[in-house]
Amino acid sequence: MRRLVITALIAVALSTSVALTLAAPPARAGTPTQLTLANDPLWQGDEEAAVAALMRDLGNGPLIDIPPSTSNWYNPVTSAPVTSSEVSTGISELQLEAGTLPYLMTVGSIAIGGAGAIYTGWQVGQFFRRIIGGEGNPAGSSTIYFWPICAGTGITGQCTSTSGGALTGINGGIPMIGNDTSTTFPYLHDGYFLSTANSASSNDRAWCEPTTATGCNTGVFTGAHNALMEGMRDWILSKGVGKEFTNTTSIATQCSSGTTPMPVGTCHALVISPQGLAKILQFQPDTQSGFNGATNQRSEGGWDPSSQTANVQKVRDRCQNSTDHNIQGACMAIRYYIAPSYDPSTGTNPGTGTGTGTSDFPIYFPQPLPGETVTEYAERLRSKKWLGTISITDHDMSTYPSGSAARQQQPGTLLSVSTATDTATLYDTATGSEVPWPTNPPIIPDQTTAVVLDEVPATWTPEPGAGGGINMPTMNLPDCTTPKFPFAFICWAQAVTGWFNVTPDAPDFDFTIPDQTVGGHTYHVGSHYDVDLNVMDGYMSTFRSILSVVIWVGGIYWLAVKLLGFHPGGDPGEAIDEGIEP
Amino acid sequence: MLNSILDIFVRGMVALVNAVLGAFATAINAVMAILPSMPNLPSLPTPFVTAESWVAWFFPVGTVIDVLGTVLALWLVWNVIAIALRWGKGISA
């Protein structure tokens, strides 16, 4: 039986070691594998909150400014051209904000060569994909296809008007586009989404079916598309459904106007399923074949996974030269981390290179984490490149009623954030209960605006309760600094054993023999003698080491034989067997 | 409504756990408060320390102490484990 137990213990130990070895994360290969929807680690992760936070920040920011087409891309604060280093930093910060930094391969999500493909967009795509589940392809095949707008090309029931661009009835009567003449576009939570059709040759986000459209011109659907994108953004921000947005230009007008007008029937909408939406938000290719053939964001565009430097340069070039809203959105997101103090909605045009940052980019108070201290919160504020002063004030806890959640908080816990003009409190002063963080959080309007953080005073003793989660109370456990009976005996044992742990020192006998006087005669027998054995230090050190090994072996042997009952003799294997036999 | 009920339940459970922990801490602190203090050991005379160093030069006294401490600790651990092994008939009494 003992043999069985010992064998089982050894087996458990070995299996644990093997399991731990196998569980260790594999080293990342130097060249990342290509991301697909199936193996995308982000898809498997839980970055929804991070992406939502990212989108909230982006969405709450000022409107995207479009610099002149001939602009250079400047740091609006320093008025100097944005450097590659700044771009790289901005991308990294953006990724960090999105919570994807561990997946460095997603750097490749910033597609350059296509059109408007951006990391942020890819993140949005991931976000959408998580929400809508990636299901519901109406065609049952391709996730993306082109739909003629009211062309009457055999799509009965799905295109009811030749004048309004009202696509209805797709996949069970879910309308995609409402009556454009009413300037209202219902944005549906469970339907399909529209991206606009435009030029086959343009790298704009719009698209026209190249086999039927005789010509498309850039800008035909720009208004509709922008409205769609803005509505999409609002939808993301609110996490809501059924978002509506307006557009002042009818689709019909858009189709039939422009530099190269075309009939409504030849103007196509790019209809995409949720998968397609995720896809289109990942990249915007130049060609339909590229669109259909792309499986991930890296397969399109000019991203070079092997050269980060080249990619950064491409991003910068793209941001400098493009007027595409999507690209500018990405640039704004990146630039936010380069120059967060710049407010393009009211500041000078960064494209001119004269931006001085006189009107700064607003920084939004981040939502406090549960039980977050003012110190921790201040660090997060600093991470947003906010440079203002922080005033920490002790809250008068008596303002909260006894037993309330506020009075259960630990000292140092953040209770409210405020500027001179704006305040957000975490607990209701009257009831002491938690207050939901506002959808539109307070703004720190300037990079140097002073902030006041209200905290639980250090002298406050939290009331028992659920506030702040499980509280580990302070216990005066025994220790050797204030020895208490009977625990101090352990301290004594420790002290006594410590007496013998001394540094070896060679004996040194230093003595003096005085002269001896016998019968009036003095004999000089010597004066001073110093016998120091340190000349033997080297040898004695080796000797002590050998002794130490012998002592350790003897100690273990003694433990096994005398204390644990092993009885060696002959073959060591037999000794073990004898030891474990009853 | 369900969220509210769950929230109340969770809060109640957390409050209960906190109350138990608080009571436990209070009891520990009370016991520790009434235990008498023990004096610290005196320091060794310097000549004795010198003599120890000399002895240690000839023989690794500290190693002996370490081995004895380790053997004692392992022996105690084994005795604790042996209780479970005897209970499980893994070893005989």
Side-chain angles (χ1 to χ4, degrees):
Chain A
M1 186 61 186
R2 278 185 179 177
R3 192 190 306 273
L4 180 62
V5 171
I6 298 297
T7 305
L9 289 175
I10 294 173
V12 169
L14 289 175
S15 60
T16 303
S17 301
V18 173
L20 289 175
T21 303
L22 294 177
R28 289 190 180 280
T31 302
T33 55
Q34 193 175 50
L35 280 179
T36 66
L37 298 183
N39 68 9
D40 181 356
L42 186 60
W43 175 234
Q44 308 298 328
D46 186 19
E47 282 76 25
E48 180 176 331
V51 176
L54 169 65
M55 292 312 302
R56 184 201 66 191
D57 288 345
L58 294 179
N60 285 343
L63 295 177
I64 301 170
D65 64 323
I66 303 177
S69 59
T70 56
S71 72
N72 199 352
W73 200 35
Y74 280 81
N75 183 321
V77 174
T78 64
S79 299
V82 172
T83 66
S84 295
S85 175
E86 286 176 322
V87 174
S88 180
T89 301
I91 294 172
S92 298
E93 294 287 340
L94 184 62
Q95 289 180 303
L96 185 63
E97 186 75 21
T100 62
L101 195 57
Y103 307 114
L104 294 179
M105 62 184 71
T106 60
V107 170
S109 62
I110 303 180
I112 305 301
I118 57 175
Y119 172 81
T120 304
W122 180 71
Q123 288 290 338
V124 176
Q126 300 292 320
F127 183 63
F128 265 74
R129 197 169 56 181
R130 288 184 64 92
I131 293 177
I132 60 184
E135 299 175 352
N137 177 5
S141 56
S142 172
T143 60
I144 303 170
Y145 50 96
F146 296 89
W147 211 280
I149 296 179
C150 313
T153 55
I155 312 174
T156 306
Q158 296 175 343
C159 188
T160 59
S161 170
T162 58
S163 61
L167 291 177
T168 60
I170 296 178
N171 196 26
I174 301 173
M176 289 200 325
I177 306 176
N179 185 354
D180 57 284
T181 57
S182 69
T183 71
T184 299
F185 288 72
Y187 196 74
L188 303 174
H189 62 92
D190 58 354
Y192 302 97
F193 306 88
L194 174 71
S195 184
T196 51
N198 201 314
S199 170
S201 59
S202 167
N203 60 2
D204 201 348
R205 88 286 300 171
W207 185 267
C208 274
E209 219 296 332
T211 59
T212 58
T214 55
C216 301
N217 64 294
T218 302
V220 167
F221 276 173
T222 298
H225 175 80
N226 290 344
L228 179 69
M229 293 302 293
E230 291 174 13
M232 193 178 296
R233 187 176 65 182
D234 291 340
W235 187 81
I236 295 171
L237 293 177
S238 64
K239 291 186 178 180
V241 295
K243 176 66 181 176
E244 290 189 352
F245 57 93
T246 60
N247 180 40
T248 57
T249 306
S250 72
I251 289 181
T253 301
Q254 292 170 355
C255 286
S256 59
S257 64
T259 55
T260 309
M262 59 184 181
V264 172
T266 59
C267 192
H268 288 64
L270 178 61
V271 181
I272 55 177
S273 68
Q275 299 99 316
L277 176 65
K279 217 172 181 181
I280 198 172
L281 286 170
Q282 291 173 35
F283 49 81
Q284 292 274 4
D286 288 331
T287 63
Q288 184 183 10
S289 59
F291 204 173
N292 293 333
T295 56
N296 60 70
Q297 67 280 1
R298 193 181 295 112
S299 66
E300 285 294 329
W303 193 262
D304 182 1
S306 63
S307 176
Q308 173 75 350
T309 302
N311 294 333
V312 168
Q313 184 60 45
K314 289 174 182 175
V315 170
R316 190 177 67 172
D317 293 344
R318 194 69 171 172
C319 289
Q320 286 175 344
N321 301 319
S322 176
T323 58
D324 185 284
H325 275 233
N326 290 339
I327 295 175
Q328 286 303 314
C331 297
M332 186 197 75
I334 296 172
R335 191 175 58 200
Y336 170 81
Y337 294 97
I338 296 175
S341 63
Y342 175 71
D343 181 358
S345 67
T346 55
T348 52
N349 191 334
T352 63
T354 58
T356 59
T358 52
S359 181
D360 293 335
F361 198 108
I363 300 172
Y364 293 81
F365 276 114
Q367 181 173 0
L369 303 173
E372 189 170 30
T373 66
V374 291
T375 304
E376 295 166 342
Y377 190 80
E379 290 178 356
R380 287 208 289 148
L381 276 179
R382 294 300 187 201
S383 70
K384 289 180 172 292
K385 301 184 180 180
W386 169 74
L387 305 175
T389 59
I390 299 176
S391 299
I392 299 177
T393 59
D394 288 342
H395 192 87
D396 182 4
M397 301 300 289
S398 64
T399 59
Y400 298 122
S402 179
S404 63
R407 291 172 67 93
Q408 297 164 5
Q409 300 306 307
Q410 298 293 319
T413 303
L414 181 68
L415 294 176
S416 72
V417 298
S418 59
T419 62
T421 58
D422 216 347
T423 299
T425 59
L426 306 184
Y427 295 92
D428 186 271
T429 305
T431 65
S433 58
E434 293 183 37
V435 175
W437 188 248
T439 304
N440 295 314
I443 297 173
I444 306 174
D446 189 275
Q447 196 176 17
T448 58
T449 299
V451 166
V452 178
L453 304 180
D454 212 14
E455 69 165 353
V456 177
T459 56
W460 174 251
T461 302
E463 293 183 353
I470 302 294
N471 300 318
M472 290 304 295
T474 303
M475 290 187 286
N476 298 323
L477 297 176
D479 56 37
C480 291
T481 56
T482 55
K484 290 278 192 176
F485 177 85
F487 307 104
F489 285 115
I490 299 176
C491 305
W492 282 11
Q494 185 183 27
V496 170
T497 54
W499 286 348
F500 297 96
N501 276 324
V502 295
T503 303
D505 187 22
D508 181 10
F509 304 99
D510 189 350
F511 53 94
T512 301
I513 299 177
D515 292 341
Q516 302 296 320
T517 301
V518 178
H521 182 74
T522 300
Y523 297 92
H524 296 282
V525 295
S527 55
H528 177 240
Y529 295 92
D530 185 6
V531 181
D532 195 341
L533 300 184
N534 59 9
V535 295
M536 301 287 289
D537 274 350
Y539 300 103
M540 290 308 295
S541 176
T542 303
F543 178 67
R544 288 195 303 271
S545 298
I546 295 172
L547 276 181
S548 296
V549 172
V550 172
I551 291 171
W552 269 109
V553 172
I556 298 300
Y557 180 85
W558 183 52
L559 172 70
V561 173
K562 299 299 182 183
L563 301 183
L564 303 185
F566 290 92
H567 301 290
D571 184 6
E574 294 178 3
I576 296 175
D577 288 340
E578 290 178 7
I580 61 177
E581 284 297 335
Chain B
M1 181 62 181
L2 180 59
N3 286 338
S4 299
I5 294 174
L6 287 175
D7 185 60
I8 293 172
F9 176 75
V10 170
R11 285 182 172 278
M13 293 303 295
V14 172
L16 178 63
V17 171
N18 283 337
V20 171
L21 290 177
F24 182 72
T26 302
I28 292 292
N29 292 339
V31 170
M32 290 299 297
I34 62 175
L35 288 176
S37 298
M38 289 177 67
N40 289 316
L41 291 178
S43 300
L44 288 178
T46 303
F48 188 84
V49 175
T50 302
E52 278 191 319
S53 301
W54 289 3
V55 173
W57 189 75
F58 289 101
F59 187 79
V61 182
T63 302
V64 173
I65 299 295
D66 290 342
V67 170
L68 287 176
T70 303
V71 167
L72 178 62
L74 290 174
W75 180 69
L76 291 174
V77 169
W78 165 255
N79 277 277
V80 173
I81 296 174
I83 295 174
L85 291 178
R86 287 192 204 96
W87 181 79
K89 307 295 185 186
I91 60 174
S92 62

